[in-house]
Amino acid sequence: MISETQALVLVFLLMFLPLMLFFASRVRAGHEVSLRRIPAFEALPDLIGRAAESGRALHIGLGSGGVGGEETASALAGLSVLGYLADQAAIFDCPPVVTVADLALLPVAQDVLRNGYLRQNRLHGYRPTAVRFLGPTPAVYAAGVMDILAHEGIVANTMIGTMGDEYLLIGETGAKHGLTQIVGTSNVGALPFVFATADETLIGEEMFAGGAYLSRLPEHIGSLLAQDWMRLLLVSAILAGVLWRTVF
Amino acid sequence: MKRKFSILSSIYVVIAGAVGVIVLLGFFVEIEGLHLQDIQTILLDWAVTVAAFAFLLGAVNVVRVNLMRIRQRKGGLYSMVTLAAMLFVLAFGLTDGPHSLVVQWTFEWVLVPLQATLFSLMAFFVVIAAWRVFRLRSLESALLLLVGVLILVSQVPLKFPWAEDLTGFKNWILAVPAMAGARGIILGVTLGIVTTGLRLLLGIDRPYSD
C-alpha cells in the first residue's frame, strides 16, 4: 500500500513529465521562447575570453558535494556549466583548473572536460590533471581551493554546486585577490556568503537552468517552461490552501 | 549544440534510464511477486561498490597532480608534504587496517585540529564580508544595513527602554520576510532538482556519456 505522501509525489512527477515533453516539442517545432536575463550566465563567455587573453587559468569548482547523494542535482548543474566551459576552453586553448571534493565526481568531471575537447577536435590539449580531487571534507576542499586561487595565477573563479559555510573562506580569498567570481549554490545557508563575495550569483533554481541558457537545447528550455508551470500550480495550491484554512 | 548518434551512447542511456526508473519505482510501487524494493537495494549496493573504485582513481589523481606541481615548482614543498603524508597513512592503513593506532592518531591529532583551525578563521572572514556587504551603495544596501544593525543590536544582552520591541521586530524579520524568502528559494530548488532528475531519467542529460 502506498502512503498519501508517496501518492502525492508520484502524481506530481506524472504531471511534470508530459508538461516537459509538450514544451520541448513546442520549442523543437520552432516556438520562440524568451528567457529572462541571468547575468551570471551572460558573464561566463567573458571569463573564458579573459582567460585566453591573459594566458591565465579559470578555476571551475564543483563544490564540496558529489554524486550519489542528496547533492547529486547540484553536482549535475555544475557539470552542465563545466560542459559549456570545456568547449570554450578547448576552442580558445586555455585549460581550466577544475576542483572536486567527491571521488565519484572526479571521473565524471574528467569525462565532461574531455568530451568538450573531443567535440572541438582538440583532444591533444586535454590533460586529466586539469581536474583535481582536493579532499573529501568541506574544510580540506576549501583549503585546497584557497591555495589554488592565491598561488596559481587564476584569472577568475566559477563555483557551481553544493557549498556550505566553507564557501566564505574560498569566496573571501577570491575577493582579496581581485578575482571575478561567479557562484551558484542551492544551499540557502551559504547564500549570504555568496552574495557578499561574488560578482554574479546564481540563486537557488537559477543554477539548474544552465543547460537552457548555455546550450539552448530544446529539451532544456522545455523543462524550464514546465518548471515554471509547476511552480504556478504549486503557488496556486498554497494560496488556495491558505484561503481554505482562513475561511473554513 | 547537437548530439551525434552513437550505438554505445544509446546503450548507456537505456541502462541508466532503466536503472533509474527501477530505483524510482521502488519508492512508490509495491507489486506482489516482483520485489522491486529488493532489486532497488541490490542496484544501490552495486552503485556503492562501483563508487568504491573511485578511491583508486582519487589516489592516482592526487599523486599525479602533486607530482606535476613538484615538477612545475608551484608549491612543490606543500605537494611533497601531501604525498609523504598520503604514503605514511596509506602504509599504516594497509598493514594495520583502518583502526591502526597511527592512522587514528593522525586523524584525531592532525586532521581534526587543522580543520577546526581553518573554520575558526570564519569569524574574521564573516566580519570582512559584512564590512563589504554593509557598505551604503543603493537603497537596497541601505535597507540591508539598517535591518542588519537592528538585528545585531537586538541580540545584545543590554536592557534599554525599547529592547522588547526590538526583539519582537527581530523575531518578525526572521520568521516572516526572511523565512518567506528562504522558502521561495527552497521551492525553486526542489523544482530544479525534480527537473534535473527527470532529464537524467529521460537521457536528455548524460553526464556519463556524450
Side-chain angles (χ1 to χ4, degrees):
Chain A
M1 194 60 194
I2 99 172
S3 72
E4 200 177 306
T5 317
Q6 280 173 312
L8 271 172
V9 176
L10 192 60
V11 168
F12 182 75
L13 283 178
L14 290 177
M15 283 169 74
F16 217 121
L17 203 60
L19 264 180
M20 222 169 111
L21 297 174
F22 168 70
F23 284 117
S25 68
R26 278 192 76 179
V27 177
R28 223 179 289 121
H31 182 77
E32 280 292 312
V33 177
S34 66
L35 301 173
R36 74 175 169 89
R37 280 187 63 229
I38 296 185
F41 288 131
E42 288 176 2
L44 279 176
D46 184 46
L47 293 190
I48 284 287
R50 283 174 49 197
E53 278 171 18
S54 63
R56 290 156 67 192
L58 168 69
H59 172 251
I60 307 165
L62 299 183
S64 48
V67 286
E70 285 172 11
E71 310 116 354
T72 307
S74 299
L76 289 175
L79 287 172
S80 150
V81 173
L82 172 63
Y84 168 78
L85 291 173
D87 277 298
Q88 303 296 313
I91 293 168
F92 292 105
D93 191 22
C94 49
V97 175
V98 184
T99 56
V100 297
D102 179 63
L103 286 163
L105 189 58
L106 173 72
V108 185
Q110 282 176 326
D111 195 45
V112 169
L113 186 66
R114 185 181 174 276
N115 280 333
Y117 279 82
L118 191 64
R119 276 194 295 271
Q120 305 304 327
N121 291 321
R122 301 205 173 186
L123 201 53
H124 57 272
Y126 166 72
R127 300 278 175 274
T129 47
V131 184
R132 301 181 192 178
F133 167 69
L134 297 178
T137 62
V140 176
Y141 178 73
V145 176
M146 285 164 78
D147 178 55
I148 289 170
L149 296 185
H151 301 116
E152 295 206 13
I154 297 294
V155 69
N157 178 28
T158 308
M159 294 198 71
I160 293 168
T162 303
M163 279 166 263
D165 295 344
E166 78 283 357
Y167 166 74
L168 186 61
L169 300 169
I170 299 169
E172 267 306 317
T173 308
K176 188 181 151 198
H177 287 85
L179 304 181
T180 304
Q181 304 199 89
I182 297 178
V183 183
T185 183
S186 55
N187 180 3
V188 178
L191 279 176
F193 299 149
V194 173
F195 181 67
T197 55
D199 298 86
E200 300 294 351
T201 53
L202 290 166
I203 296 173
E205 66 191 296
E206 287 178 347
M207 64 185 269
F208 299 104
Y213 278 81
L214 299 171
S215 62
R216 311 288 298 184
L217 279 171
E219 291 83 2
H220 280 258
I221 299 173
S223 66
L224 211 59
L225 293 174
Q227 202 175 312
D228 278 348
W229 277 93
M230 290 307 286
R231 187 198 339 273
L232 271 178
L233 191 78
L234 275 177
V235 171
S236 309
I238 291 168
L239 287 177
V242 170
L243 273 175
W244 178 267
R245 294 285 293 177
T246 313
V247 177
F248 300 103
Chain B
M1 193 168 63
K2 214 170 164 102
R3 280 198 189 104
K4 284 180 198 160
F5 175 80
S6 91
I7 293 175
L8 200 63
S9 183
S10 307
I11 294 171
Y12 292 154
V13 172
V14 170
I15 293 173
V19 170
V21 168
I22 291 169
V23 173
L24 187 66
L25 279 180
F27 286 112
F28 298 119
V29 188
E30 276 179 35
I31 303 167
E32 226 170 279
L34 197 57
H35 303 296
L36 268 177
Q37 275 79 10
D38 294 341
I39 303 171
Q40 182 194 40
T41 311
I42 292 169
L43 288 171
L44 290 174
D45 283 346
W46 284 1
V48 172
T49 311
V50 172
F53 282 96
F55 274 90
L56 283 176
L57 295 174
V60 172
N61 180 269
V62 169
V63 172
R64 287 185 73 176
V65 167
N66 283 290
L67 285 177
M68 179 190 77
R69 280 167 59 101
I70 293 168
R71 268 200 308 274
Q72 293 176 350
R73 294 176 194 281
K74 280 184 189 171
L77 185 66
Y78 297 122
S79 289
M80 280 181 215
V81 173
T82 306
L83 287 178
M86 185 184 159
L87 290 174
F88 175 77
V89 175
L90 193 68
F92 279 96
L94 286 176
T95 49
D96 299 344
H99 299 293
S100 145
L101 273 180
V102 177
V103 173
Q104 294 291 327
W105 187 90
T106 313
F107 272 90
E108 204 173 326
W109 298 106
V110 180
L111 197 66
V112 174
L114 281 176
Q115 291 191 14
T117 308
L118 193 67
F119 271 114
S120 68
L121 295 173
M122 285 283 288
F124 303 102
F125 281 79
V126 168
V127 172
I128 300 166
W131 173 258
R132 191 177 303 114
V133 170
F134 287 155
R135 272 184 202 158
L136 272 173
R137 286 171 297 194
S138 57
L139 181 66
E140 286 94 339
S141 60
L143 275 173
L144 194 69
L145 174 65
L146 181 71
V147 174
V149 168
L150 285 176
I151 287 186
L152 271 177
V153 173
S154 72
Q155 311 267 35
V156 178
L158 286 176
K159 281 192 176 174
F160 44 91
W162 26 271
E164 270 186 31
D165 295 335
L166 204 57
T167 309
F169 172 74
K170 179 202 80 178
N171 291 339
W172 180 80
I173 284 284
L174 295 179
V176 183
M179 187 61 81
R183 284 189 179 164
I185 293 170
I186 292 168
L187 186 71
V189 168
T190 309
L191 286 168
I193 290 172
V194 173
T195 317
T196 309
L198 286 175
R199 281 202 307 253
L200 202 67
L201 279 181
L202 294 174
I204 297 167
D205 282 352
R206 303 174 194 172
Y208 43 83
S209 84
D210 203 37

